[in-house]
Amino acid sequence: MLSVCVYCGSRFGASPAFLAAAQALGQAIAGRGWRLVYGGGNVGLMGATADAALAAGGEVVGVIPERLVNREVGHRGLSELHVVPTMHDRKRLMAELADVFIALPGGIGTLEELFEVWTWRHLGYHDQPIGLLNVEGFYDPLLGFMRHTLDAGFIDGQQQSMLTVAAEPALLLDQLAAQAAGAAGPEDFSRI
């Protein structure tokens, strides 16, 4: 069973397409018999992804820091909810539980999580696939900036190629599953 770590917003965002994509991704993960790992909240795209996976009979594991349990309203209907002391503990445990990583649309927390696992992969701390679900071109400006960063000489093509981008959940899951089949396996994120 693949474990898919999903980073996404604790808000719904301005477009109904963001909610639809979150629900479709949760359903698709569960429909494949895979496990969803996410930030443990029941609000915004986070809650929608989890609820869709649960409704489709999937296993859903949430990881939330103590400080955010009440603020984000920790989801009490999950297969497992891990309450951890800090944000760093949250991100580490989510990474340890994951075989692949996906970022849906989201805010600064989503971007920070995406860039952290991307950096960890570049530095050789893991070799798990990383994907962007580029709903309605949400990530187009970021991808343009990353091309600018490449042109400016701060990243190289290999770093850029570590990120798989697709607009449809099923296509992105297919691509990441194929990559995960060639990955070395579970990583020890305690080294980070």
Side-chain angles (χ1 to χ4, degrees), residues 101-145:
F101 302 93
I102 295 176
L104 280 162
I108 58 175
T110 302
L111 293 171
E112 186 265 340
E113 291 165 327
L114 167 65
F115 277 98
E116 185 169 60
V117 295
W118 193 358
T119 300
W120 289 349
R121 182 160 180 201
H122 165 66
L123 295 175
Y125 286 104
H126 73 88
D127 67 349
Q128 284 106 327
I130 304 166
L132 278 183
L133 190 55
N134 193 19
V135 181
E136 287 195 335
F138 177 82
Y139 281 111
D140 287 351
L142 175 66
L143 295 169
F145 179 75

Side-chain angles (χ1 to χ4, degrees), residues 19-33:
L19 173 59
Q23 292 169 329
L25 182 62
Q27 290 169 348
I29 291 168
R32 293 167 185 244

